[in-house]
Amino acid sequence: MLRRILTPLVLRFRAFPQWLVAKLLLILLLTLKVFPADAALNFADRVVRFVGPKLARHQLMLTNLRNAYPEKTAAEIEKIASDAWGHMGRQTAEYVFLDKLFDFDPAKPGEGRIDVSGIPIFMELLNARRPFIVFTAHTGNFEMLPVAGAAYGLDVTVLFRPPNNPYIADMVFGFRKARMGNLVPSHAGSAFHLASQLEGGNGVGVLVDQKFSRGKPTTFFNQDVRTNPLLAKLVRQFDCDVFPARCIRLPGNRYRLEIEPRIALPFDDKGNLDVQATAQMLNDKVESWVREYPEQWLWYHDRWNIKNTLQAS
């Protein structure tokens, strides 16, 4: 009897730090919303740029950068890391301003915050009504891509990985759901949900640069990684087209959204889609994006399983 009473209390006590962090973050975001968007984004950049290097994750970020860019000096690595923290601050603040930041008007290109490259491809997807997959990575404000799709009626179901903190996950889901349409959190049954969308002739969006311990052996920045084969398996099942897309942060709190032409995926000698080669192709595309704007990628992710390597050594 006592155990039945105490167990929920213990669980609540253990969850309290996560709840507190989520509440403090919510207060910060609501406070930022009081100010003009530009002032809030610039402030968030400065704060996280100051706080980030003092966190334990900073060492992981530096290790990732040194491994990815062995040719760069320590000063260059520190500069990228500092800028990356600044972009993380902007990413956080941008959640509360997404409805204001996305102001693209096709009739007035270049006049708002948003530039769009690949409009003919977008219109083709909008009108064709056939299954397709758009993939992206954690570069720039990757949340802008589904916002753009939802704003112009492109029916895309987006697969996303919720934050580890369940309270922050609920809060972020609320911000996303109001602006991005159909969202699917990454879990055991998410692949079936995406498959049902493709089977219905709709589109799906996926992030392809996440750590996946049961993935296909590939390389990323000349280092061994495991890559999720989900995209290739969906293509093999539904014979759908695949399009790369990304967001780039520009000076002055502006953004460029790019959707690239359909990519030709590799096939093996038997004429079957090569799942592993496709996974490597995705990594190569993302690496090309990151090398172009290294400060706009989330280097604090443990993409190369560095933590386990350090613990084993």
Side-chain angles (χ1 to χ4, degrees), residues 80 83-88 91 137-142 209 246-251 254-256 289-299:
I80 295 174
D83 291 344
W85 283 117
H87 280 279
M88 278 189 58
Q91 179 78 29
H138 292 90
T139 59
N141 188 332
F142 48 92
D209 59 340
R246 64 170 170 168
C247 173
I248 301 169
R249 283 195 181 89
L250 303 174
R254 299 183 67 252
Y255 310 83
R256 182 164 70 246
W289 289 341
V290 177
R291 287 190 179 277
E292 190 174 0
Y293 297 98
E295 73 284 355
Q296 297 195 27
W297 194 61
L298 300 186
W299 289 97

